[in-house]
Amino acid sequence: MSTPKRIASLLSIICMSVAALCASEQAQAADLRVVSSGGFAQAYKNLAPAYELATGDKLLSDWGPSMGKTSNAIPARMARGEEIDVVIMVGDSLDKLMNEGKLVAGSKVVLANSPIACAVKKGNSKPDISTIVGLKNAFLQARKVAYSDSASGEYIKHQLMKKLEIEEQMQGKAAQIPATPVGEIIAQGEADFGCQQRSELLPVQGIEIVGLLPQEVQLQTQFSAAIVKGSKVQGQAQALLNFLAATKNAPVIAETGLEPVAGK
């Protein structure tokens, strides 16, 4: 069965299993404003219709990185007081907002872990990055390398290059990309090799994932969700967090390249 068909089948089961339980809450349906970072975005998009159908709530969704200097970054949105009920983002960045008192204490829910993968434009030769030596060669032989301005890119820029001992060689041909998915940069031919969280690369057309970073230098990024302090629909927001973290939804999350925490 193809991936879209598997997802559709899973969502159908989910809807049937929760619809009866949620029917009594339809009269209290609300609009929920959710902002998710890219790593969990596809999983959220796949699960959102089932949640809306089961509860009657309407999810008003937007996207932005967990860190960085772009105006759509979640911390920037919070700083300017955007009306948001739920954030889904990298765990460390979420913890910072929690410590600053911007999220409801105790509402954090860990959803999934995301490994870093690398990709090339579809049709191009695929380097073997299963070993440290292979990964190092892939970086060095590329004309231009792209990585994100969020968690995976910060790791690549500040730690991975040092571990591979190629900082100097990559000067001028390795670029950190703000806001735009790395896969799109590769698909457009602006870079011939790039790395980002696997869940962010998978939805992009026109590229091929060559593999995960070797285990010795891999970084698992945790994605979590929490309720924004001041939300007027905290009950519905908590219901959404419970739904996203439910064990029955783990297969849908796994289909997007993430490693769900539920059920472990």
Side-chain angles (χ1 to χ4, degrees):
M1 186 184 295
S2 66
T3 295
K5 288 182 178 179
R6 285 199 301 270
I7 292 175
S9 178
L10 288 166
L11 291 178
S12 176
I13 294 171
I14 291 167
C15 287
M16 288 187 292
S17 66
V18 299
L21 295 175
C22 298
S24 62
E25 299 179 7
Q26 292 283 347
Q28 299 176 354
D31 288 349
L32 274 171
R33 292 170 175 81
V34 182
V35 181
S36 174
S37 59
F40 197 81
Q42 191 60 52
Y44 170 82
K45 290 175 183 178
N46 291 346
L47 287 168
Y51 176 82
E52 290 182 320
L53 181 62
T55 65
D57 291 342
K58 183 177 181 181
L59 299 178
L60 306 176
S61 309
D62 210 344
W63 324 103
S66 298
M67 58 190 75
K69 299 179 180 180
T70 57
S71 61
N72 65 330
I74 294 175
R77 292 171 182 270
M78 299 287 289
R80 60 177 176 260
E82 279 194 26
E83 190 174 349
I84 304 171
D85 299 301
V86 171
V87 292
I88 306 171
M89 56 195 296
V90 172
D92 291 346
S93 296
L94 186 146
D95 290 341
K96 184 177 179 181
L97 293 177
M98 185 73 75
N99 292 336
E100 292 173 354
K102 295 178 180 178
L103 305 176
V104 175
S107 67
K108 176 183 175 180
V109 175
V110 180
L111 299 172
N113 292 308
S114 179
I116 298 173
C118 300
V120 296
K121 187 173 183 178
K122 189 172 184 179
N124 287 2
S125 60
K126 294 191 261 185
D128 180 1
I129 64 168
S130 61
T131 65
I132 298 294
V133 172
L135 177 65
K136 182 175 180 177
N137 289 337
F139 274 109
L140 293 175
Q141 292 171 10
R143 173 185 54 84
K144 188 170 183 180
V145 173
Y147 48 89
S148 80
D149 68 342
S150 196
S152 61
E154 286 293 289
Y155 168 71
I156 292 168
K157 180 178 181 179
H158 297 293
Q159 297 183 52
L160 181 60
M161 295 297 182
K162 290 181 180 179
K163 291 178 180 180
L164 298 179
E165 300 179 340
I166 57 173
E167 288 178 284
E168 291 186 11
Q169 297 98 310
M170 297 305 296
Q171 289 293 326
K173 72 171 186 176
Q176 195 165 29
I177 309 300
T180 305
V182 168
E184 292 183 13
I185 299 298
I186 298 170
Q188 293 163 9
E190 297 177 34
D192 51 342
F193 184 73
C195 305
Q196 196 169 17
Q197 290 158 19
R198 178 173 60 183
S199 60
E200 295 188 72
L201 291 172
L202 276 175
V204 180
Q205 299 295 314
I207 66 171
E208 292 185 82
I209 295 177
V210 300
L212 297 175
L213 295 185
Q215 192 59 44
E216 303 96 307
V217 294
Q218 179 61 260
L219 175 72
Q220 290 276 2
T221 299
Q222 181 191 92
F223 281 95
S224 302
I227 302 169
V228 177
K229 193 171 183 179
S231 168
K232 298 179 178 64
V233 288
Q234 292 192 22
Q236 290 90 342
Q238 185 61 59
L240 175 61
L241 297 192
N242 294 343
F243 178 83
L244 294 174
T247 301
K248 62 178 173 290
N249 291 332
V252 177
I253 294 174
E255 287 281 357
T256 68
L258 293 167
E259 298 176 0
V261 172
K264 287 190 175 181

